[in-house]
Amino acid sequence: MRQEPIDPAGIQWTRVSPSYAKVRMVGWAIGALITLLVLSVPLVLVLTGVWEGFPLWLAIAAPAVVVAVEVIRLVLIPRQVAAIGYAEREDDLLVRHGLMFQKVLVVPYGRMQFVDVAVGPIDRMLGLCKVKLHTAAADATAEIPGLPVAEGTRLREQLAARGESRLAGL
């Protein structure tokens, strides 16, 4: 995984599964289809003569713009998934994501309150899960999607054990 300027020095990132792109593409397809159907209603109404006063060019332009934007989003999904990574350090967990707007989140093990693993229907079909770390601060919750189930389970146990040992040290 390529090092970015905001990455801490010497970090070896672990990527999420490339299969996670399929999960994101299914979500993308559902959202794009609903948006396209809603924005195509004026075009159908104009073409059937129900809404004669609506400009035809606008009825065509709205779905066309949506198709163009959604194709760009589809092309970016594999790169967005490749940008997601995590790294376990001695005292904290780092989570990184984002292509254009990159973000590195550092969660100290002593601040974690609980760790959960979630699996959606598409994730389950592909053998993936999502690990979520909860802290006392609402905006410091970290999420690592697209992990193989065995890795997600291992990470949950590892993080819980490290969190307990850090709390016991207080």
Side-chain angles (χ1 to χ4, degrees), residues 16-29 70-84 99:
V16 299
S17 172
S19 296
Y20 180 60
K22 295 175 187 172
V23 175
R24 296 269 316 266
M25 286 179 186
V26 169
W28 165 87
E70 293 299 332
V71 167
I72 292 169
R73 284 186 57 209
L74 177 64
V75 169
L76 289 177
I77 286 175
R79 294 193 62 213
Q80 290 172 335
V81 168
I84 300 171
L99 262 181

Side-chain angles (χ1 to χ4, degrees), residues 155-170:
L155 193 58
R156 178 188 63 204
E157 298 302 321
Q158 179 78 19
L159 294 175
R162 286 183 174 178
E164 285 177 16
S165 69
R166 296 304 186 279
L167 286 176
L170 291 177

Side-chain angles (χ1 to χ4, degrees), residues 2-145:
R2 193 175 114 191
Q3 291 290 318
E4 298 292 339
I6 64 169
D7 292 343
I11 293 296
Q12 200 65 344
W13 294 103
T14 303
R15 285 185 177 184
V16 299
S17 172
S19 296
Y20 180 60
K22 295 175 187 172
V23 175
R24 296 269 316 266
M25 286 179 186
V26 169
W28 165 87
I30 293 169
L33 183 63
I34 291 171
T35 303
L36 190 59
L37 286 175
V38 168
L39 291 178
S40 296
V41 169
L43 179 61
V44 171
L45 295 176
V46 168
L47 292 178
T48 57
V50 175
W51 197 359
E52 293 178 1
F54 196 81
L56 180 61
W57 69 268
L58 186 56
I60 294 171
V65 168
V66 167
V67 167
V69 169
E70 293 299 332
V71 167
I72 292 169
R73 284 186 57 209
L74 177 64
V75 169
L76 289 177
I77 286 175
R79 294 193 62 213
Q80 290 172 335
V81 168
I84 300 171
Y86 64 97
E88 297 175 73
R89 294 197 303 189
E90 183 71 28
D91 294 321
D92 49 33
L93 177 78
L94 303 173
V95 180
R96 177 181 128 178
H97 52 94
L99 262 181
M100 292 180 65
F101 302 99
Q102 298 171 343
K103 183 177 179 181
V104 174
L105 183 65
V106 180
V107 181
Y109 297 130
R111 299 286 180 150
M112 289 189 307
Q113 293 196 326
F114 64 95
V115 181
D116 63 10
V117 177
V119 179
I122 307 299
D123 291 320
R124 191 175 313 123
M125 288 183 345
L126 297 172
L128 301 176
C129 67
K130 173 177 27 177
V131 173
K132 199 168 185 179
L133 295 78
H134 299 272
T135 64
D139 59 343
T141 300
E143 188 175 284
I144 307 171

